[in-house]
Amino acid sequence: MALLTQAIRGTGDVLPNDSHRWQFVENTMLETARLFGFREIRTPVFEHTELFVRSVGDTTDVVQKEMYTFDDNGGRSITLRPEGTAGAVRAFLEHGLHNEALPQKVSYVTSCYRYEKPQAGRLREFHQFGVECFGAAEPQADAEIISLAAAAFEALGIKNLSLEINSIGCPECRAKFYDALREYFGSNQGELCETCKGRLERNPMRILDCKSPVCKKIAEGAPTVLDYICDDCRDHFEKTKSYLTAMGIEYTVNPTIVRGLDYYTRTVFEFVSGDLGAQSTVCGGGRYDGLVEQMGGPKTPALGFAVGLERLLMIMDAQKCEFPETKPCDVYIAPMGEKAATMASKLAKMLRAEGFFAETDIVGRGLKAQMKYANKIGAKYTVVLGDDEIAAGKANLKCMETGEQTEVSLPDGLISAVYDLSINASLGQLTDALDNFDFKL
Ligand code: HAM
């Protein structure tokens, strides 16, 4: 039975008491991106396996160990997306967005799937907010993307994230770096894990990202990429840093960041948090100037990042960040008898059409139980409807907080009374806010 009542390991539910936090995070991030000119893109949850193998790279942990891959009934190999960039690139090419005004800037909130060992902050189904920018080669773009991530964190009230940046060069300068890595790891070859032994020839940079403790230890003494990047890449990196400094964005250069996906070129970056434990990276991204072309499109420089939303919420909890309150029920209409029930449904419909949150009985409860329910859901006002009220065409609108009652005619008087009361309440809140506002600017 446990199979029926337990979610699969590494997955989770967002329950109604919690969903407003997710909505706040997602809306704030999408809205921040909108202010930078990014518009939302939605791509399928599954794609051809080949798309991820070719873009993420067949020597990465993601492709070698972590993909949810299966054959569908038509015998095609399908993979649940392990990340959002590959699908965005595919859509960019499929729909000819490269023929539209560049840069094309897209944002997304998606679920991703990786068969990883679940632990705090590491799940098998997780969620990302991400952005991708196509057709921008200049270092201003790198700085702007990073400043977008920083602005989104600030809008959410998150503090104390450190930004770590690095440059991993272009394919030309990386060839020399690979030679140096092959020489270094070649002398330790016997101790490397089996996967890394296979990576040594084909993609030695991946060894730097291996999770095995032995490979990690060996990697500590490995050559660092910054010592090998060419003049153009160095210039790009220097300019990116100076734009960041000009925008007041603090960073440290961490020459060990290589990222776990193969498509990156030049700038790579991560935002890390001390509030997360072992999985300390909340956001990762960088430039991928070769990927669009590699997927069969025109040469198109591109860059982006993704934020892990579960990790982001963990940080927000640890930092006790504030979330906006959810709006409670405005009016609960408690009918007694069938005639009243019909009238209650009509009134609820009218209130909802005016944008109010209205509920009425749909389970056949008696009056006492209905009032208990109205209390439980935190209804601001209640109206009891019986035969007398219907005959008189009048009812009492009761404020649940003060117990104060207002007689209203049915139906119009009720709607306008709820209107007036809600306007007064909003005015009250505004006055309170102004009273507490510090005008010494
Ligand atoms: P990534 O570093 O693989 O990059 O993932 C981005 C973020 O997703 C991580 O920093 C982390 O917060 C979160 N994340 C990754 N794996 C898990 C997991 N198993 N459980 C929970 N959270 C996780 C990418 O995915 C790139 N597509 C980012 C990018 C976009 N680069 C350019 N454009």
Side-chain angles (χ1 to χ4, degrees):
M1 282 314 269
L3 275 182
L4 293 185
T5 54
Q6 251 172 34
I8 289 176
R9 201 163 123 79
T11 70
D13 302 301
V14 176
L15 298 176
N17 273 341
D18 219 23
S19 51
H20 69 286
R21 293 164 13 109
W22 282 80
Q23 286 162 358
F24 172 63
V25 164
E26 291 170 5
N27 293 341
T28 304
M29 300 202 104
L30 287 169
E31 177 56 16
T32 308
R34 192 185 68 79
L35 299 179
F36 283 72
F38 287 74
R39 292 173 305 157
E40 195 182 350
I41 189 169
R42 298 184 187 197
T43 63
V45 74
F46 53 81
E47 301 264 5
H48 292 294
T49 300
E50 200 53 26
L51 175 70
F52 300 115
V53 174
R54 293 270 298 277
S55 56
V56 171
D58 61 357
T59 52
T60 58
D61 270 4
V62 169
V63 168
Q64 288 190 315
K65 304 176 185 169
E66 297 169 1
M67 291 206 305
Y68 278 90
T69 297
F70 57 95
D71 284 348
D72 71 4
N73 289 347
R76 300 169 201 90
S77 181
I78 300 291
T79 294
L80 302 186
R81 68 175 158 233
E83 56 100 55
T85 309
V89 170
R90 198 250 327 121
F92 174 78
L93 288 175
E94 181 169 343
H95 303 288
L97 300 187
H98 51 284
N99 296 321
E100 296 187 12
L102 293 179
Q104 280 285 311
K105 303 192 234 179
V106 299
S107 56
Y108 52 83
V109 173
T110 54
S111 56
C112 299
Y113 303 85
R114 295 185 193 176
Y115 194 79
E116 295 199 77
K117 203 165 173 223
Q119 52 175 264
R122 192 196 277 165
L123 294 139
R124 290 181 174 169
E125 181 188 59
F126 60 98
H127 298 81
Q128 287 186 341
F129 160 79
V131 302
E132 312 294 346
C133 172
F134 298 103
E138 296 303 310
Q140 283 100 319
D142 306 51
E144 176 145 301
I145 285 278
I146 292 172
S147 77
L148 161 50
F153 295 134
E154 197 182 329
L156 291 169
I158 296 173
K159 297 195 175 67
N160 301 331
L161 294 184
S162 340
L163 166 63
E164 300 187 354
I165 62 173
N166 192 21
S167 174
I168 56 169
C170 59
E172 283 83 67
C173 43
R174 215 175 295 157
K176 273 194 253 155
F177 178 53
Y178 278 17
D179 286 344
L181 285 178
R182 280 191 197 103
E183 197 180 318
Y184 174 80
F185 285 118
S187 56
N188 297 294
Q189 196 170 357
E191 294 165 65
L192 294 175
C193 75
E194 284 312 306
T195 320
C196 284
K197 278 182 190 143
R199 288 166 168 165
L200 189 58
E201 245 341 279
R202 295 190 50 218
N203 191 350
M205 199 165 79
R206 284 278 68 89
I207 304 174
L208 299 174
D209 200 46
C210 182
K211 290 178 188 125
S212 127
V214 179
C215 297
K216 262 194 172 144
K217 188 90 201 120
I218 300 171
E220 278 171 16
T224 51
V225 62
L226 272 182
D227 294 332
Y228 293 85
I229 62 175
C230 63
D231 288 348
D232 281 353
C233 289
R234 187 169 302 284
D235 183 52
H236 186 96
F237 192 46
E238 289 309 316
K239 284 187 176 142
T240 301
K241 288 193 288 182
S242 62
Y243 284 120
L244 288 175
T245 306
M247 284 194 275
I249 296 174
E250 285 178 27
Y251 61 83
T252 48
V253 173
N254 178 350
T256 67
I257 295 181
V258 292
R259 310 278 301 126
L261 314 163
D262 268 356
Y263 46 66
Y264 291 108
T265 53
R266 294 194 162 173
T267 316
V268 287
F269 62 91
E270 292 182 352
F271 282 85
V272 295
S273 166
D275 290 313
L276 277 178
Q279 306 306 315
S280 60
T281 308
V282 64
C283 169
R287 201 166 253 295
Y288 49 94
D289 286 345
L291 183 58
V292 174
E293 197 178 12
Q294 191 192 317
M295 292 285 123
K299 201 168 164 33
T300 310
L303 68 169
F305 67 77
V307 175
L309 297 184
E310 284 80 2
R311 291 186 194 176
L312 189 79
L313 281 157
M314 283 168 73
I315 299 174
M316 291 181 75
D317 280 344
Q319 298 189 359
K320 303 201 167 25
C321 293
E322 278 183 29
F323 292 89
E325 299 272 313
T326 49
K327 287 199 178 131
C329 175
D330 290 309
V331 188
Y332 180 84
I333 306 165
M336 291 184 297
E338 248 173 64
K339 252 196 197 158
T342 310
M343 171 69 113
S345 334
K346 279 193 206 159
L347 289 172
K349 185 178 173 202
M350 290 170 82
L351 283 164
R352 289 167 190 153
E354 296 298 327
F356 293 110
F357 171 178
E359 282 199 50
T360 184
D361 181 53
I362 51 170
V363 291
R365 285 193 177 111
L367 185 59
K368 213 169 144 200
Q370 288 196 57
M371 297 316 278
K372 213 169 149 189
Y373 175 77
N375 251 322
K376 231 182 207 165
I377 62 169
K380 286 192 271 184
Y381 297 96
T382 53
V383 188
V384 176
L385 288 185
D387 289 342
D388 291 351
E389 281 77 9
I390 291 177
K394 284 180 188 158
N396 283 328
L397 180 66
K398 182 178 172 188
C399 173
M400 296 298 273
E401 198 186 328
T402 60
E404 209 176 299
Q405 308 224 16
T406 319
E407 194 183 67
V408 293
S409 63
L410 297 175
D412 294 347
L414 173 67
I415 314 292
S416 52
V418 174
Y419 240 123
D420 291 349
L421 289 165
S422 79
I423 286 171
N424 285 343
S426 309
L427 283 177
Q429 277 170 6
L430 194 63
T431 325
D432 286 352
L434 286 173
D435 283 350
N436 294 328
F437 192 73
D438 184 0
F439 282 100
K440 290 184 293 282
L441 288 176

